[in-house]
Amino acid sequence: MTPLDRLGRPLHDLRISVTDRCNFRCTYCMPKEVFGRDYTFLPRDQVLSFEEIERTARAFTALGVEKLRITGGEPLVRRDLPVLISRLAALRTLDGRELDLTLTTNGAALRALAGPLADAGLRRVTVSLDSLDDAVFGAMNGIDFPVARVIDGVGAALEAGLTPLKINMVVRRGVNEASVVPMARWAREIGATLRFIEYMDVGHSNGWRLDEVVSAAELRDLVTAEWPAEPAEPGYRGEVAGRWRYLDGLGEFGIISSVTMPFCRDCTRARLSADGQLYTCLFAVQGLDVRAVLRDDATDDEGLRTFLADAWRVRDDRYSELRSLATVDPDGRPDLPRVEMFAMGG
Ligand code: SAM
């Protein structure tokens, strides 16, 4: 029933982008020089409706998906999001269990929405925050959004029981390395799991360079110099973060090392963009048009499942591994094409 791709990887998790819009302009994702007032986002009729998202997610669960992550753009800017969450929360795995239903957000709207989302059936959240220093964070988010409001959103999520709560922090050399240890201290204090993300070469807008990546090994050393930790086993095949457990018992931290230690071999993840394109790799150049299948009256649910299963079976993506082997252009960037992350759903 569950399809395997060409490298023998099962389909286990699906990320669903519910909008290509975002209220932040993070320099490494949607820099304001590129995504300014003149930028044209998707018109409404090109974005999947809640019915279409639910139908697609149901087809995926029939193929073995057990984990759904809602993302964007910024998912909380999509109107009536709790309505979609309640529909997705009603889906079940092949053996009748609840799905692992979660969401990644910048946290700006969590004070207002954490309660309604939890009531709708959301189980937990990941909040992105790159520094506790307002000057650093304001420059990175591109709109001077204050740290205190994200922290307040995190508090609202904890109060609403959206746990275990994870914090994502992208680390960029020369920009927020000094924030690594303070962020780890704060996450330990509030009982959240901090996950460092190596700065990635998604899309072309951010002008990525390899020398801006702070490696997993450096990140581990920075944290364990303060609080010794030991490696922890992955929760399941395909878990993206390498896990480290603090020896003093105060939880763990993770490192997503897609650049220096690619984990393509274990990648069990598909991505659905806001306009219904299916991507089988974060670094894919082209998606498959699921929206056309959904809007074709001649295709029933079985036809949809067959389309998705076939798409998975031919998958042979392993961009991050290939990046390690690729030649670089004169600016030190790998000479490989790719799509913007906000467009396909981070
Ligand atoms: N707006 C939501 C948020 O802020 O979490 C969800 C979408 S965002 C694209 C998902 C995650 O991707 C965030 O944690 C963000 O920091 C991360 N991200 C975006 N661009 C990245 C890059 N170039 N390298 C590493 N992580 C990146």
Side-chain angles (χ1 to χ4, degrees), residues 209-249:
R209 296 179 52 96
L210 184 58
D211 56 15
E212 290 178 298
V213 177
V214 181
S215 72
E218 286 176 84
L219 291 165
R220 179 204 59 210
D221 290 349
L222 279 170
V223 178
T224 55
E226 295 287 325
W227 304 281
E230 63 185 4
E233 287 301 308
Y236 65 93
R237 180 184 179 187
E239 186 172 56
V240 288
R243 295 168 59 184
W244 293 84
R245 191 183 303 113
Y246 293 115
L247 294 186
D248 64 6

Side-chain angles (χ1 to χ4, degrees), residues 152-217:
D152 185 49
V154 167
L158 292 172
E159 286 158 26
L162 293 171
T163 55
L165 190 136
K166 292 179 185 162
I167 308 284
N168 274 356
M169 172 181 181
V170 177
V171 188
R172 199 166 173 178
R173 190 176 306 284
V175 178
N176 65 336
E177 287 152 287
S179 303
V180 165
V181 169
M183 282 285 292
R185 180 176 295 114
W186 170 67
R188 282 162 53 86
E189 281 167 12
I190 65 166
T193 298
L194 178 61
R195 303 189 323 162
F196 302 103
I197 310 181
E198 283 183 346
Y199 174 42
M200 292 184 289
D201 51 331
V202 277
H204 292 272
S205 303
N206 60 19
W208 183 88
R209 296 179 52 96
L210 184 58
D211 56 15
E212 290 178 298
V213 177
V214 181
S215 72

Side-chain angles (χ1 to χ4, degrees), residues 96-108:
R97 285 173 292 122
E98 280 189 12
L99 298 177
D100 180 7
L101 179 58
T102 180
L103 176 148
T104 303
T105 172
N106 60 31

Side-chain angles (χ1 to χ4, degrees), residues 3-308:
L4 297 181
D5 74 6
R6 285 195 179 148
L7 300 178
R9 299 168 295 191
L11 176 55
H12 180 266
D13 30 351
L14 175 66
R15 299 198 172 197
I16 303 174
S17 172
V18 293
T19 178
D20 62 334
R21 291 162 200 259
C22 187
N23 46 346
F24 283 16
R25 285 293 174 272
C26 298
T27 49
Y28 52 80
C29 189
M30 294 177 72
K32 54 177 175 270
E33 299 73 31
V34 180
F35 302 93
R37 282 186 200 288
D38 299 337
Y39 186 82
T40 313
F41 287 96
L42 290 169
R44 186 177 291 220
D45 63 339
Q46 289 188 26
V47 174
L48 294 189
S49 66
F50 287 175
E51 288 74 20
E52 290 170 328
I53 293 174
E54 181 193 348
R55 190 176 159 212
T56 310
R58 186 184 300 278
F60 269 108
T61 57
L63 296 174
V65 161
E66 302 196 335
K67 175 173 175 182
L68 289 184
R69 179 175 293 278
I70 306 305
T71 180
E74 169 49 42
L76 301 195
V77 305
R78 175 89 186 238
R79 193 179 301 166
D80 297 328
L81 189 66
V83 174
L84 175 66
I85 294 296
S86 63
R87 290 175 173 222
L88 298 177
L91 300 178
R92 291 290 174 267
T93 64
L94 279 175
D95 55 1
R97 285 173 292 122
E98 280 189 12
L99 298 177
D100 180 7
L101 179 58
T102 180
L103 176 148
T104 303
T105 172
N106 60 31
L110 270 180
R111 175 51 66 190
L113 282 171
L117 288 168
D119 291 345
L122 189 69
R123 291 281 166 244
R124 57 195 182 87
V125 287
T126 298
V127 180
S128 303
L129 179 63
D130 297 328
S131 180
L132 294 176
D133 180 315
D134 263 322
V136 175
F137 182 54
M140 285 182 86
N141 66 47
I143 59 162
D144 275 328
F145 196 85
V147 174
R149 287 199 39 206
V150 180
I151 290 183
D152 185 49
V154 167
L158 292 172
E159 286 158 26
L162 293 171
T163 55
L165 190 136
K166 292 179 185 162
I167 308 284
N168 274 356
M169 172 181 181
V170 177
V171 188
R172 199 166 173 178
R173 190 176 306 284
V175 178
N176 65 336
E177 287 152 287
S179 303
V180 165
V181 169
M183 282 285 292
R185 180 176 295 114
W186 170 67
R188 282 162 53 86
E189 281 167 12
I190 65 166
T193 298
L194 178 61
R195 303 189 323 162
F196 302 103
I197 310 181
E198 283 183 346
Y199 174 42
M200 292 184 289
D201 51 331
V202 277
H204 292 272
S205 303
N206 60 19
W208 183 88
R209 296 179 52 96
L210 184 58
D211 56 15
E212 290 178 298
V213 177
V214 181
S215 72
E218 286 176 84
L219 291 165
R220 179 204 59 210
D221 290 349
L222 279 170
V223 178
T224 55
E226 295 287 325
W227 304 281
E230 63 185 4
E233 287 301 308
Y236 65 93
R237 180 184 179 187
E239 186 172 56
V240 288
R243 295 168 59 184
W244 293 84
R245 191 183 303 113
Y246 293 115
L247 294 186
D248 64 6
L250 266 189
E252 56 180 70
F253 68 97
I255 310 180
I256 301 173
S257 55
S258 109
V259 179
T260 65
M261 284 187 274
F263 39 81
C264 305
R265 292 288 150 164
D266 280 333
C267 179
T268 55
R269 191 164 307 108
R271 298 179 138 85
L272 185 68
S273 68
D275 59 346
Q277 303 298 304
L278 178 69
Y279 293 93
T280 53
C281 175
L282 177 55
F283 299 94
V285 183
Q286 227 187 332
L288 268 164
D289 197 354
V290 180
R291 189 183 63 200
V293 177
L294 291 166
R295 295 186 182 177
D296 171 8
D297 291 339
T299 312
D300 60 8
D301 286 344
E302 195 183 331
L304 175 62
R305 283 196 297 273
T306 304
F307 177 86
L308 298 175

